[in-house]
Amino acid sequence: MIGSLDPRVPEGDLPGLWTNHKFEMGLVNPSNKRRFEIIVVGTGLAGASLAASLGELGYRVKVITFHDSPRRAHSIAAQGGINASKNYQNDGDSTWRLFYDTVKGGDYRSREANVYRLAEVSGDIIDQCVAQGVPFAREYGGLLDNRSFGGAQVSRTFYARGQTGQQLLLGAYSALMRQVRAGTVTLHTQTEMLDLIVHDDVARGVVTRDLITGEVRSHTANAVVLATGGYGNVYYLSTNAMTCNATAAWRAHRKGALFANPCYTQIHPTCIPASDEFQSKLTLMSESLRNDGRIWVPRSTDETRAAADIPEADRYYYLEEKYPSFGNLVPRDVASRNAKTVVDEGRGVGPLKNGVYLDFADAIARDGEDAIRERYGNLFEMYERITGENPYHQPMRIYPATHYTMGGLWVDYELMSNVPGLFVLGEANFSDHGANRLGASALMQGLADGYFVAPYTISNYLSDKLGDDPLPLDHPACVSAEEEVAARTKHFLEIGGTRSVDWFHRELGKIVWDNIGMARNAADLQKAIVEIPALRREFYEDLRVLGPEDSLNSSLEKAGRVADFFELAELMARDALAREESAGGHFREESQTEEGEALRDDERFSHVAAWEWGGDPSSSIHHTEELRFDNVALTQRSYK
């Protein structure tokens, strides 16, 4: 095993922990920063904000993205908002309450110190973004507006209609491109990371493939940062863009980085239901809609009337009835499981009976259509374009879909993996959300990591490495990694089978969704552990990739990504089987309360499961980091 599983959390009380630790960190003086080179892979909120910050500090930064522009990073698709404990609504919010809500929302499976730091810097993010010109919604008097999100009883979510991710990314992108123009940042677009270069057990660079020319080459640096998002597309059908993948993180895992909690995946409750089995993507409808929309299904399984014709007595507002305190604003995992329950009972709505209603009739009657249009107009328009149904006149139909992943590469308090020199930010790491992410916290984590955490911790890592030059590109570690990537790419082209990459990806997604989806049990997980390797063997025997390797070839790109999904999916199943408890998005049917809620086993599983690559998913080595809860009591999570 490379390194040790030491979270490196400083001693001290939470409120002063990060401030004191920043003072104790090593520094790199301004004239020396330009002597260090740092690679940042990914240009979403975490990657773009970090690269801009490092460039502003004076470091030499290489930014790598497989997009043709950093602005195409998937952060742009985030809709509903970003959390911060500003307490502008004077409704009782605070750093401590945001910390508590996040730990509780994650079902007590996150590291307290990391979560408190996230809450602590959340307000600075809003100040930073406002200064950049991000057009957050404002109240009549000109002050920033807030709305509620699931898992909280205060209004702490800042938003820009349903385009918050886009506006935040434009702010980070502007800061990034300022540094590109200044010459501190070198941008490599349409370039995909395919391996991590490790020498003397330290991360020293990456191997990339130019997606246009097919050129495979090394990039070396004093530190490497992965900010490459999550692995939701392992399910094939998800709310993620089709290009989203886990290759960068997974290749780092194969080179020694521990993969933590892969079974912690989030099913978002507010998505447009699938219309047929040939879809390749599902559409997210912002969780913010649950502020004003009421979720219900017919009480009768034989209901045939249109929604407007069903009287109140025949409607089952199941979240409001089961969770009166939080109602429609319960966390995502709770809302998703309850939607699955009522649909499985035969109460589903829509042509395929695979959805529930999200109804705005009461809100429109109360506030007027113009007010609802101002809050959610672009979301309503998107829904109507996709479904042909006008949500101002009839309820939306929604159903859960794969969205976010809480698992990822293991990192310590300084966001460094167990491989020295490899830092992991945003959704690509496991650190802040435990077993379930609260809505509007992903953007918060990405920008907190990029603007306010990693610039300090990377400088701390580099502070005693002055004079350590990056590896030369002809170093054996670089050459061998390049040869490995080239051989792997060539192999996909030589299989010469009969089935496309997409066929295999779809079949894998069915196995993962059916067996490692919203509810899991030992029998299904063991079935997945058998079926996934069998399909993987067929993949390597019957895959057909057309086209050459020395030009743009999307099928070849997908082949490598799906190959990684096969290995990751098996590890997900093994991790889920080993965790014999329910926690957040990981719901084991064998472990639930009498009321059907997730039942944790704190005595055996109050830990992070971190897996070491053993040459194959079946031989992965299981490590644990025990979680300490000195500030939040471990209790059965309740939103009633």
Side-chain angles (χ1 to χ4, degrees):
M1 174 178 170
I2 298 176
S4 62
L5 203 56
D6 179 6
R8 297 202 296 163
V9 176
E11 295 295 326
D13 295 332
L14 279 181
L17 198 66
W18 177 236
T19 299
N20 293 335
H21 188 56
K22 285 190 292 184
F23 179 76
E24 295 166 355
M25 287 183 184
L27 299 175
V28 180
N29 80 50
S31 63
N32 284 336
K33 286 187 174 75
R34 64 178 65 97
R35 299 171 64 179
F36 288 107
E37 189 151 6
I38 302 169
I39 292 172
V40 178
V41 185
T43 57
L45 289 180
S49 60
L50 175 66
S53 300
L54 293 175
E56 187 76 39
L57 288 170
Y59 290 106
R60 292 180 293 126
V61 185
K62 282 186 180 180
V63 173
I64 293 169
T65 175
F66 61 68
H67 296 293
D68 59 351
S69 166
R71 297 197 318 182
R72 293 192 186 276
H74 195 56
S75 297
I76 204 168
Q79 297 172 348
I82 176 171
N83 287 331
S85 56
K86 287 285 197 180
N87 196 32
Y88 283 171
Q89 304 299 313
N90 198 29
D91 55 1
D93 202 8
S94 65
T95 296
W96 193 267
R97 188 176 295 278
L98 175 54
F99 158 69
Y100 172 79
D101 286 347
T102 305
V103 172
K104 177 184 176 182
D107 217 350
Y108 306 94
R109 288 296 176 260
S110 52
R111 191 187 290 147
E112 280 192 340
N114 288 64
V115 177
Y116 188 86
R117 178 177 61 191
L118 176 65
E120 185 178 3
V121 304
S122 64
D124 295 335
I125 298 170
I126 304 305
D127 296 341
Q128 169 85 6
C129 294
V130 169
Q132 290 175 332
V134 173
F136 287 120
R138 294 180 179 268
E139 295 177 330
Y140 179 77
L143 301 177
L144 296 182
D145 196 12
N146 291 120
R147 59 190 179 195
S148 302
F149 254 66
Q153 292 179 301
V154 297
S155 296
R156 64 163 64 103
T157 304
F158 295 78
Y159 64 98
R161 296 185 75 189
Q163 304 168 343
T164 313
Q166 178 182 8
Q167 299 303 326
L168 292 173
L169 186 60
L170 288 173
Y173 167 78
S174 299
L176 171 64
M177 297 311 292
R178 179 176 182 270
Q179 296 307 312
V180 171
R181 182 173 183 178
T184 62
V185 173
T186 302
L187 181 61
H188 297 267
T189 59
Q190 295 183 301
T191 303
E192 182 170 23
M193 173 188 159
L194 294 181
D195 209 351
L196 179 71
I197 298 171
V198 177
H199 177 59
D200 289 340
D201 296 341
V202 175
R204 303 300 298 270
V206 299
V207 175
T208 64
R209 178 177 180 271
D210 187 304
L211 298 181
I212 303 300
T213 66
E215 179 192 11
V216 174
R217 60 164 296 193
S218 295
H219 301 263
T220 58
N222 300 97
V224 176
V225 182
L226 301 186
T228 51
Y231 49 93
N233 270 354
V234 69
Y235 287 89
Y236 186 72
L237 275 179
S238 83
T239 66
N240 292 278
M242 299 215 33
T243 54
C244 292
N245 63 86
T247 286
W250 191 253
R251 301 292 171 87
H253 171 60
R254 289 170 62 102
K255 284 298 180 72
L258 299 178
F259 208 103
N261 299 335
C263 76
Y264 286 165
T265 57
Q266 182 168 84
I267 312 299
H268 196 293
T270 317
C271 305
I272 298 177
S275 58
D276 61 54
E277 64 178 62
F278 298 106
Q279 274 185 245
S280 57
K281 186 186 183 306
L282 295 173
T283 302
L284 172 70
M285 300 305 297
S286 170
E287 184 180 335
S288 63
L289 295 168
R290 291 200 276 150
N291 274 292
D292 289 302
R294 300 181 69 191
I295 297 172
W296 63 275
V297 291
R299 290 193 179 274
S300 172
T301 58
D302 299 322
E303 185 61 71
T304 59
R305 290 172 290 183
D309 297 331
I310 301 175
E312 286 290 310
D314 294 337
R315 298 182 179 190
Y316 180 24
Y317 295 94
Y318 55 90
L319 293 179
E320 296 176 29
E321 291 187 23
K322 293 179 69 174
Y323 309 98
S325 293
F326 281 75
N328 296 302
L329 291 177
V330 294
R332 290 175 174 179
D333 60 314
V334 177
S336 294
R337 281 197 299 274
N338 278 273
K340 180 180 186 298
T341 297
V342 295
V343 170
D344 289 349
E345 290 171 348
R347 306 174 196 265
V349 302
L352 301 181
K353 303 293 184 183
N354 63 343
V356 301
Y357 286 132
L358 179 61
D359 195 340
F360 291 86
D362 287 354
I364 291 173
R366 180 186 67 240
D367 299 333
E369 185 174 315
D370 288 344
I372 299 302
R373 191 180 301 276
E374 182 178 350
R375 293 172 197 159
Y376 312 113
N378 61 314
L379 296 170
F380 277 45
E381 180 183 350
M382 180 173 68
Y383 180 87
E384 184 172 8
R385 287 185 176 184
I386 292 171
T387 65
E389 302 169 4
N390 186 336
Y392 293 104
H393 299 154
Q394 62 190 103
M396 288 184 180
R397 292 178 294 108
I398 59 170
Y399 191 69
T402 304
H403 180 55
Y404 192 86
T405 53
M406 288 72 67
L409 293 182
W410 183 89
V411 293
D412 61 21
Y413 184 68
E414 299 203 353
L415 303 185
M416 187 166 73
S417 74
N418 61 297
V419 180
L422 176 64
F423 293 80
V424 190
L425 275 58
E427 190 180 359
N429 76 33
F430 87 99
S431 67
D432 290 5
H433 306 297
N436 174 63
R437 177 177 70 82
L438 293 183
S441 288
L443 306 185
M444 176 175 62
Q445 184 203 356
L447 291 179
D449 288 355
Y451 282 136
F452 299 109
V453 179
Y456 285 96
T457 61
I458 292 173
S459 293
N460 184 42
Y461 170 75
L462 295 174
S463 62
D464 62 354
K465 292 176 173 52
L466 193 63
D468 292 355
D469 295 327
L471 289 181
L473 296 182
D474 60 355
H475 189 280
C478 300
V479 174
S480 63
E482 289 177 21
E483 290 175 347
E484 185 178 334
V485 167
R488 184 180 179 91
T489 301
K490 185 177 180 182
H491 178 66
F492 290 132
L493 292 166
E494 292 178 344
I495 295 174
T498 64
R499 297 195 182 276
S500 69
V501 178
D502 286 338
W503 185 89
F504 282 105
H505 192 184
R506 185 181 291 110
E507 292 302 307
L508 173 64
K510 290 176 182 177
I511 296 173
V512 179
W513 178 254
D514 290 343
N515 299 287
I516 326 173
M518 276 189 281
R520 295 122 183 225
N521 59 64
D524 286 347
L525 293 169
Q526 289 166 344
K527 180 182 177 185
I529 290 171
V530 172
E531 291 184 351
I532 292 170
L535 185 62
R536 178 158 57 106
R537 288 191 294 271
E538 186 179 348
F539 171 82
Y540 280 104
E541 293 170 358
D542 199 28
L543 174 67
R544 185 173 184 83
V545 177
L546 300 175
E549 62 180 307
D550 58 355
S551 65
L552 183 64
N553 188 337
S554 60
S555 293
L556 181 58
E557 296 168 32
K558 291 179 185 177
R561 297 166 186 171
V562 173
D564 295 329
F565 279 144
F566 271 110
E567 295 175 351
L568 173 56
E570 184 177 344
L571 186 62
M572 287 171 57
R574 293 183 180 278
D575 185 46
L577 184 63
R579 188 171 286 276
E580 296 174 335
E581 67 161 356
S582 292
H586 168 65
F587 188 79
R588 284 288 296 266
E589 294 174 347
E590 303 94 335
S591 183
Q592 54 184 302
T593 67
E594 292 181 359
E595 297 174 322
E597 304 294 344
L599 180 63
R600 300 191 319 272
D601 184 344
D602 294 330
E603 186 173 335
R604 292 196 297 153
F605 296 104
S606 185
H607 63 240
V608 178
W611 296 84
E612 178 186 354
W613 177 252
D616 187 87
S618 63
S619 56
S620 293
I621 304 164
H622 183 260
H623 304 275
T624 60
E625 175 202 336
E626 296 301 319
L627 293 169
R628 292 177 50 188
F629 292 92
D630 300 323
N631 300 277
V632 176
L634 288 166
T635 59
Q636 174 62 39
R637 198 171 51 148
S638 173
Y639 291 94
K640 296 187 175 183

